[in-house]
């Protein structure tokens, strides 16, 4: 498996993800965001980038030049649950720091994405977007030791926001199972040659 930044927003990278296997596939065709992927090297299609297991799109904040927004994280349907999304988010962080970004943010719209980004070292800021997404943030250059100190109260406060919503299954069961739980452990960065 290979983790790679395909390009930054100014490079205009695009991906052709199969909409039947990836949520948000159409968002990765746009060239105004940077892209990073996890790929397995097994491309067998001229129509889609079939070797991609997970993808992340990102761009600079319009008003805070030291902030990079993770816009979309998607994992191929047959690779979900393997931790690829959080590991890809962790992989991009130090590369963003090298480009001068101090802070990373993401807005998440469901408790599964919330949990995944906590695994990548993000923490809820207490803010929501106008679309009722929770805004999470982490330092771009934080060590794994620093990221391992997420606050349980803040974590539960974010989950409580989702509990206030009229969610169906499997979200409702996930939230019930996580009442009083500590934040998940932060994943380690993938080893790269």
């Amino acid at each position: 498996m290979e983790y790679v930044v395909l390009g930054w927003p100014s490079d205009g990278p695009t991906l052709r993800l199969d909409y039947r296997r990836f949520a948000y596939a159409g968002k990765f065709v746009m060239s105004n965001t940077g892209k990073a992927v996890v790929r397995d090297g097994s491309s067998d299609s001229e129509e889609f980038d079939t070797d991609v297991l997970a993808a992340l799109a990102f761009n600079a904040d319009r008003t805070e030049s030291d902030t990079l927004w993770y816009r979309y994280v998607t994992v191929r349907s047959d690779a979900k649950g393997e931790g690829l999304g959080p590991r890809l988010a962790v992989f991009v962080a130090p590369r963003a720091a090298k480009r001068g970004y101090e802070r990373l943010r993401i807005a998440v719209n469901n408790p599964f994405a919330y949990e995944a980004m906590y695994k990548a070292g993000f923490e809820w800021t207490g803010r929501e977007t106008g679309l009722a997404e929770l805004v999470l943030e982490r330092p771009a250059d934080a060590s794994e030791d620093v990221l391992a100190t997420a606050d349980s109260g803040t974590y539960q406060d974010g989950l409580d926001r989702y509990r206030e919503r009229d969610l169906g299954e499997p979200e409702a069961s996930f939230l019930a199972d996580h009442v009083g739980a500590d934040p998940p452990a932060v994943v380690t960065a993938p080893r790269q040659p």
Side-chain angles (χ1 to χ4, degrees), residues 139-190:
D141 64 353
S143 69
E144 290 177 20
D145 294 341
V146 170
L147 297 175
T149 60
D151 179 65
S152 292
T154 302
Y155 171 71
Q156 283 297 321
D157 288 346
L159 290 177
D160 286 345
R161 291 293 175 114
Y162 289 115
R163 288 182 183 109
E164 294 168 0
R165 299 176 184 176
D166 186 23
L167 299 175
E169 291 299 331
E171 292 87 352
S173 290
F174 174 87
L175 292 168
D177 290 344
H178 286 76
V179 171
D182 288 330
V186 176
V187 299
T188 57

Side-chain angles (χ1 to χ4, degrees), residues 83 85-87 106 108-124 134 136 155-156 158-159 162-163 174-175 177-179 181-187:
R87 281 193 176 82
I106 188 167
V108 297
N109 62 7
N110 67 73
F112 301 116
Y114 181 84
E115 180 87 356
M117 289 301 98
Y118 256 85
K119 289 177 182 178
F122 285 80
E123 191 166 340
W124 187 43
L134 304 190
L136 285 75
Y155 171 71
Q156 283 297 321
L159 290 177
Y162 289 115
R163 288 182 183 109
F174 174 87
L175 292 168
D177 290 344
H178 286 76
V179 171
D182 288 330
V186 176
V187 299

Side-chain angles (χ1 to χ4, degrees), residues 27-74:
K27 302 296 184 180
F28 290 85
V29 176
M30 299 183 311
S31 61
N32 63 340
T33 57
K35 310 284 187 312
V37 297
V38 180
R39 59 184 174 201
D40 66 7
S42 66
S43 189
D44 61 0
S45 168
E46 292 183 22
E47 184 179 1
F48 298 112
D49 294 311
T50 57
D51 64 337
V52 174
L53 299 172
L56 169 64
F58 49 85
N59 64 287
D61 187 277
R62 291 185 191 114
T63 59
E64 297 177 49
S65 61
D66 63 349
T67 301
L68 184 72
W69 278 90
Y70 286 4
R71 294 298 177 184
Y72 299 97
V73 180
T74 189

Side-chain angles (χ1 to χ4, degrees), residues 80-97:
K80 289 186 181 218
E82 297 178 24
L84 296 176
R87 281 193 176 82
L88 182 57
V90 168
F91 171 79
V92 172
R95 288 148 182 85

